[in-house]
Amino acid sequence: MAHMHYINADRLRDAVRLLVRGFGSEPREVELVTENLVQANLTGHDSHGVGMLPRYIDAFLEGGLLPNAHIVTRMDSGTMVSLDGQAGFGQVIGHETMELGIARAKEHGSCIVALANSHHLCRIGAWAEMAVAQNLISVHFVNVISRPIVAPWGGGDARFGTNPFSVGIPVPGQEPILLDFATSVIAQGKARVAHNKREKLPPGQMIDHLGQPTIDPVYGVHPPLGALRTFGEHKGFGMALVCELLGGALAGGMAAHGPADGKRRVLNGMLTMIFDPAKLADGSVFEQEMTGFLEWVKSSPPQTGFDHVRVAGEPEREYRAKRLAEGVPVDENTWQEMLTAARLLGVDPDAVQKLAGL
Ligand SMILES: NC(=O)c1ccc[n+]([C@@H]2O[C@H](COP(=O)([O-])OP(=O)(O)OC[C@H]3O[C@@H](n4cnc5c(N)ncnc54)[C@H](O)[C@@H]3O)[C@@H](O)[C@H]2O)c1
């Protein structure tokens, strides 16, 4: 098991800011990228946290990630908008997409936004959080254009990406519901994190290069590559398929249909539906039924091994509270990868290390 650093969230922000400036990003981009990555770590999703930076730097140096890009409108009929993310930082493109969709949903009651060609949109729940903060519901179907990494149900090799799905629902007077997951059993970055920590995966998550079940995460990181499996067997596969068709073919105009092209960039397509629950349902009935249901499911007696029933969004809030208090865990291998990547950007790794307090 690799040594673990516990880095104060503000110090981690300072270190990451310095690194992101190395892309030549304008100040707003530096802030959006830094905050989004640190929030991924704070919410427990280390697979989508600061450890993504080396991958972003590889993509940037190859020309597949374009700093300081912004959304461009392709089609606009008021409540349906089609955007191009121009391979810009997903943290900026996702933010701008949601700002536009939220403004339209406030004006018209609903809006469907199709986003093509964004670089990695990272934690999709971050976009649902923007909608629920404005008392709006959002639903996101996302595809991933990168090396195929997930096998179809019944298939023996990788054919598509980890295609995430997210729904945010504001709950009056309570914390929102934030459902946000990859349609693979685990997100791809979780194989990288496990490999960096020298840990094995639980059974049932991966197949090796021969299509056989394996618990070694190396098959998700270095050749010969295997594949992740979809969650929920054929049901998760069905959901991944729908994410590819709506987030990719429809919104992104780009779906997976070939083997890896060797490029380091990760593009996402995302179909987002944003709507105002107050314009669709009687507010008091919705609130009463929703809170009644949440109370009912949460009062189920815990099974062995569980302390209580949690609902979507709750584990992330628990992680955030714990990590704000105790620091963000970053394993030594991931940290060294970040320092090596800093050098590639011309950023002084000692300065990054110092800002992090290490
Ligand atoms: N941009 C991309 O290309 C891409 C691709 C794949 C995944 N992702 C992101 O990776 C992140 C991690 O995905 P994941 O599939 O590993 O997430 P995960 O398996 O940790 O599942 C997270 C979801 O399950 C809920 N949850 C977790 N534990 C729970 C419990 N005990 N009881 C009830 N609900 C619980 C969480 O609140 C959350 O909604 C997500 O933010 C996702 O958007 C992004």
Side-chain angles (χ1 to χ4, degrees):
M1 180 136 171
H3 173 70
M4 196 65 80
H5 303 286
Y6 288 83
I7 307 176
N8 168 277
D10 283 335
R11 298 204 79 146
L12 187 59
R13 281 187 181 93
D14 289 343
V16 169
R17 251 183 224 113
L18 180 63
L19 245 162
V20 178
R21 278 191 205 110
F23 287 95
S25 293
E26 53 201 27
R28 178 171 169 271
E29 181 161 288
V30 172
E31 285 313 308
L32 288 174
V33 174
T34 301
E35 193 53 31
N36 177 274
L37 292 176
V38 172
Q39 283 295 337
N41 286 108
L42 282 173
T43 49
H45 294 294
D46 297 330
S47 55
H48 287 67
V50 299
M52 283 304 298
L53 280 165
R55 182 82 193 262
Y56 290 178
I57 291 169
D58 286 349
F60 165 67
L61 294 174
E62 228 177 51
L65 162 61
L66 305 179
N68 303 318
H70 298 280
I71 50 169
V72 167
T73 304
R74 286 169 156 184
M75 289 168 79
D76 187 348
S77 63
T79 56
M80 299 178 91
V81 188
S82 183
L83 303 170
D84 191 307
Q86 305 199 89
F89 266 112
Q91 287 80 358
V92 173
I93 300 300
H95 190 87
E96 293 178 350
T97 297
M98 290 306 293
E99 278 184 333
L100 188 150
I102 286 169
R104 296 291 175 91
K106 281 186 162 178
E107 190 184 345
H108 304 289
S110 68
C111 182
I112 297 179
V113 194
L115 171 65
N117 199 29
S118 172
H119 196 263
H120 194 235
L121 286 162
C122 209
R123 195 173 64 90
I124 306 306
W127 314 124
E129 281 169 5
M130 281 181 73
V132 298
Q134 302 292 323
N135 292 321
L136 297 168
I137 293 176
S138 72
V139 182
H140 308 258
F141 298 91
V142 181
N143 89 322
V144 191
I145 294 296
S146 181
R147 165 169 67 80
I149 180 81
V150 182
W153 176 241
D157 68 1
R159 296 284 154 151
F160 48 86
T162 52
N163 294 5
F165 173 73
S166 180
V167 180
I169 307 175
V171 184
Q174 292 185 31
E175 297 288 357
I177 296 299
L178 280 161
L179 180 67
D180 172 28
F181 54 70
T183 48
S184 46
V185 186
I186 52 167
Q188 179 187 356
K190 288 192 174 151
R192 168 178 54 77
V193 171
H195 179 68
N196 279 350
K197 289 183 176 171
R198 308 288 179 254
E199 289 175 357
K200 298 291 176 210
L201 294 171
Q205 300 194 337
M206 285 203 74
I207 53 176
D208 66 16
H209 60 302
L210 301 172
Q212 296 303 311
T214 179
I215 58 168
D216 192 336
V218 73
Y219 290 103
V221 184
H222 297 302
L225 291 162
L228 295 171
R229 301 176 73 176
T230 53
F231 81 90
E233 305 185 333
H234 58 288
K235 301 181 191 186
F237 169 44
M239 193 131 193
L241 191 87
V242 168
C243 283
E244 193 72 32
L245 299 181
L246 297 183
L250 176 65
M254 203 186 331
H257 32 62
D261 58 11
K263 293 183 180 156
R264 299 289 292 163
R265 53 100 180 92
V266 183
L267 295 175
N268 283 139
M270 175 165 80
L271 185 82
T272 300
M273 295 183 263
I274 309 173
F275 54 98
D276 185 348
K279 293 209 165 97
L280 200 60
D282 178 327
S284 59
V285 175
F286 179 45
E287 180 177 345
Q288 191 183 309
E289 290 303 307
M290 183 159 51
T291 49
F293 176 71
L294 292 174
E295 222 170 90
W296 167 242
V297 291
K298 287 183 62 100
S299 64
S300 175
Q303 265 185 45
T304 310
F306 290 81
D307 54 356
H308 68 274
V309 170
R310 288 170 176 77
V311 293
E314 216 174 319
E316 284 75 12
R317 286 191 288 278
E318 290 173 352
Y319 268 113
R320 193 183 276 126
K322 187 169 158 55
R323 291 181 169 195
L324 280 172
E326 297 174 1
V328 175
V330 180
D331 67 83
E332 175 62 10
N333 292 328
T334 299
W335 187 250
Q336 287 305 325
E337 282 178 8
M338 286 172 64
L339 296 182
T340 304
R343 264 182 220 107
L344 294 176
L345 273 191
V347 174
D348 176 9
D350 292 338
V352 175
Q353 178 102 352
K354 206 170 153 201
L355 283 173
L358 299 180

